[in-house]
Amino acid sequence: MERRILIYPAVAQDGLLASKVLSSVGIENLVCSGSEAVLAALAEGAGALLVVEEMISGAAIQPLKRFVDAQASWSDLPILVLTKRGADSVEAQRAVEHLGNVTLLERPVRTIALISAAHSALRARDRQYHVRLADQRKDEFLATLAHELRNPLAPIRTSISIIRRLEPSAQVAKLTDIVDRQVVHLTRLVDDLLDVARITTGKVALNATRTTLSAVITHALEIAASSVQEKHHQLDVVQPTQDYALEADHARIVQSVANLLVNAAKYTPPHGHIALAASVDANVVTFRVRDDGRGLEPASLTRIFELFAQAKSANEPLSGLGIGLNLARKFAELHGGSITATSEGLGRGSEFVLTLPVVVGVAQPASAGGPAASEGGAGRRVLVVDDNRDAADTLEAFLTMEGFRVAVAYDGAAALEKVESHEPDVVLMDIGMPRMDGYEAARMVRAAGRPVRLIALTGWGQALDKMKAQQAGFDHHLVKPVDLATIIDVLRA
């Protein structure tokens, strides 16, 4: 179907004749009657479109133009336009201008010319399909890479927490802090790579919820803290005395502000100064991140927002992936906002301004009521399921130190047996396991009617993975490596 040529004639007889010519050389084709039929067929897939200029004259070109404009990044549909004698008609010129990948064939067209043009269009379309396949494989590779990287990061982070508890000395704390910062950094790189893959394929959708300006700032500062502290920068924060409610994707805005702070810390010499200022005007919140670091040349003020672009310096090696500012810009645009950079020149610092029209009013103070969280594990039974034995064993050791009664299983089938014998209150379960994966194990636990909370603890963290986990019966979906305080909070809830 994706290699067929759609034929959109002015006269049915002409369409049948063109179809006969193409069929004679083995080219699959379909004659469409009317623009709606053409658009429906294009949505199902096509190698090319053969159309006479009369059918796309005047306003009739608009539906096809909208389809062309909305194509995926890999797609550039070949369109063969049969023109009247003299290919300088207004309709032909508009087709070239508005429809992109257009080939003009002057009527009456010779049979061999039509067949040659059709074969050329299909060869070009095949190359586009190869690009699409490469993109799909790239996304699959990035998702698998993220999973494989997250798996070893989880036991590393857990081991750090255990070492801190067992050896609470200043020297050990210093070393574990270094390891912890690097784990956080690697986790951010993995997440950024996945976000780039999602954005380039149009798979990022904002999860707009009610949040607050103070919550965004607090979370962003927590994420950027290790980068700021590593170079001993002084960080000043100015924000409104009154808190504001925002209707936005909390995680994406936090990531954008944190990326600006991390970028400022990266390009500012040790013991530098960084300032974060937030202000609100009507429905627009503005974040300004100012530093006294390296600064930017005029030519770099827009280029630094391009994917994989980095400000170069003769005295410093490149570091990072050069995608943080690109993501910040993309997330700003998805919210209807913008981001700009200014600098007085090299060595004179820089300022980034992020504006977002997401303010919906004054935030109401959080209620001080509500039940308090229970302290400690209080003997609560937990089952840890993971085929990565290091991850399972270190998490078992940590949770035991927190007062939980912990059992361990190393695959889904063993988990079902432990659910029977250990009778856990909560199951922390990996997804990708041999013999029986986490999805199947969760479904079987639910089918047995066990009153247990199921928490997916996995390296698979894309939207589809979360949806599959929910459908399988999981109550929560946590992506490795998870901050251990988060795990404790979920277990105590």
Side-chain angles (χ1 to χ4, degrees):
M1 182 176 291
E2 288 194 328
R3 295 197 83 256
R4 65 183 177 175
I5 292 183
L6 304 181
I7 303 171
Y8 186 18
V11 180
Q13 188 63 32
D14 291 342
L16 295 175
L17 180 59
S19 176
K20 184 177 180 180
V21 170
L22 296 178
S23 297
S24 68
V25 292
I27 296 178
E28 182 184 357
N29 61 85
L30 175 67
V31 179
C32 302
S33 57
S35 61
E36 292 185 1
V38 170
L39 295 175
L42 286 173
E44 294 175 349
L49 172 64
L50 175 63
V51 60
V52 295
E53 66 174 315
E54 292 91 334
M55 305 310 294
I56 53 173
S57 63
I61 198 174
Q62 292 303 318
L64 185 56
K65 181 180 183 300
R66 286 193 291 270
F67 174 86
V68 168
D69 292 342
Q71 292 180 97
S73 59
W74 59 265
S75 179
D76 190 15
L77 177 72
I79 300 177
L80 309 177
V81 179
L82 297 176
T83 70
K84 301 172 185 176
R85 185 179 298 274
D88 57 352
S89 67
V90 174
E91 287 83 1
Q93 293 174 17
R94 293 182 71 237
V96 171
E97 180 182 355
H98 295 293
L99 300 183
N101 188 7
V102 171
T103 300
L104 300 179
L105 299 173
E106 184 177 330
R107 293 178 287 179
V109 62
R110 296 175 61 187
T111 299
I112 188 63
L114 176 59
I115 293 173
S116 176
H119 279 306
S120 295
L122 291 177
R123 283 195 297 271
R125 192 61 165 167
D126 282 340
R127 287 193 291 272
Q128 295 173 26
Y129 291 148
H130 287 314
V131 172
R132 179 184 62 181
L133 180 60
D135 280 346
Q136 291 172 345
R137 288 175 176 170
K138 176 199 67 179
D139 293 341
E140 292 169 0
F141 169 76
L142 287 174
T144 303
L145 176 65
H147 176 264
E148 294 304 316
L149 287 175
R150 283 169 174 156
N151 269 335
L153 289 175
I156 291 173
R157 170 167 279 182
T158 308
S159 298
I160 293 170
S161 297
I162 293 174
I163 292 171
R164 284 193 182 117
R165 294 283 294 272
L166 295 176
E167 297 289 340
S169 68
Q171 184 65 23
V172 169
K174 180 179 179 180
L175 294 174
T176 54
D177 285 345
I178 292 173
V179 178
D180 197 40
R181 282 197 300 271
Q182 299 310 310
V183 169
V184 171
H185 181 59
L186 282 172
T187 304
R188 282 178 54 80
L189 291 179
V190 170
D191 291 340
D192 283 352
L193 279 173
L194 285 176
D195 280 332
V196 168
R198 295 185 190 113
I199 287 174
T200 55
T201 55
K203 294 179 181 178
V204 168
L206 295 182
N207 180 25
T209 57
R210 188 62 62 91
T211 184
T212 65
L213 177 58
S214 62
V216 168
I217 293 174
T218 299
H219 195 178
L221 292 173
E222 290 173 353
I223 293 175
S226 60
S227 297
V228 174
Q229 293 167 6
E230 186 174 8
K231 287 189 174 183
H232 308 286
H233 294 312
Q234 177 181 327
L235 175 60
D236 299 321
V237 180
V238 177
Q239 63 187 96
T241 55
Q242 190 175 41
D243 201 5
Y244 289 89
L246 313 178
E247 188 72 25
D249 188 320
H250 175 84
R252 301 308 187 189
I253 294 183
V254 166
Q255 187 176 359
S256 297
V257 177
N259 282 352
L260 295 183
L261 291 169
V262 170
N263 183 75
K266 175 181 176 181
Y267 291 109
T268 300
H271 304 283
H273 293 79
I274 300 172
L276 168 63
S279 60
V280 172
D281 182 12
N283 73 323
V284 177
V285 58
T286 300
F287 299 93
R288 297 177 181 272
V289 176
R290 174 76 187 177
D291 65 71
D292 58 0
R294 179 192 300 176
L296 293 164
E297 296 176 320
S300 298
L301 293 177
T302 56
R303 190 185 65 82
I304 54 173
F305 293 106
E306 297 175 2
L307 188 59
F308 304 125
Q310 298 188 62
K312 298 180 181 180
S313 172
N315 300 322
E316 296 180 20
L318 292 177
S319 62
L321 299 175
I323 59 182
L325 292 180
N326 179 266
L327 289 176
R329 183 183 66 176
K330 294 294 186 182
F331 293 147
E333 292 173 348
L334 287 171
H335 281 92
S338 63
I339 184 171
T340 58
T342 58
S343 176
E344 296 180 5
L346 292 178
R348 305 187 66 178
S350 57
E351 182 179 48
F352 290 81
V353 180
L354 171 65
T355 59
L356 302 166
V358 295
V359 180
V360 292
V362 177
Q364 298 299 318
S367 173
S374 59
E375 294 296 327
R380 182 170 295 185
R381 295 186 298 274
V382 178
L383 174 61
V384 175
V385 186
D386 200 321
D387 64 314
N388 184 327
R389 289 177 178 260
D390 288 341
D393 294 344
T394 54
L395 186 56
E396 176 197 19
F398 176 78
L399 294 179
T400 299
M401 294 172 66
E402 290 292 322
F404 295 94
R405 295 168 56 189
V406 188
V408 175
Y410 299 115
D411 61 59
L416 296 179
E417 298 174 3
K418 285 293 178 70
V419 167
E420 293 289 335
S421 60
H422 186 64
E423 297 184 348
D425 302 299
V426 186
V427 177
L428 288 166
M429 191 182 312
D430 188 26
I431 297 297
M433 298 182 292
R435 295 179 62 191
M436 179 186 297
D437 66 19
Y439 297 132
E440 184 178 356
R443 283 191 289 266
M444 294 188 69
V445 170
R446 290 302 183 212
R450 290 289 181 185
V452 59
R453 290 174 61 220
L454 297 179
I455 302 172
L457 186 59
T458 174
W460 300 106
Q462 299 194 54
L464 179 61
D465 303 317
K466 296 178 181 180
M467 182 180 69
K468 289 170 65 176
Q470 184 179 27
Q471 292 173 345
F474 283 100
D475 299 294
H476 299 277
H477 185 282
L478 303 178
V479 181
K480 298 176 181 176
V482 186
D483 182 74
L484 292 172
T486 300
I487 293 179
I488 297 300
D489 288 342
V490 173
L491 292 178
R492 290 173 178 169

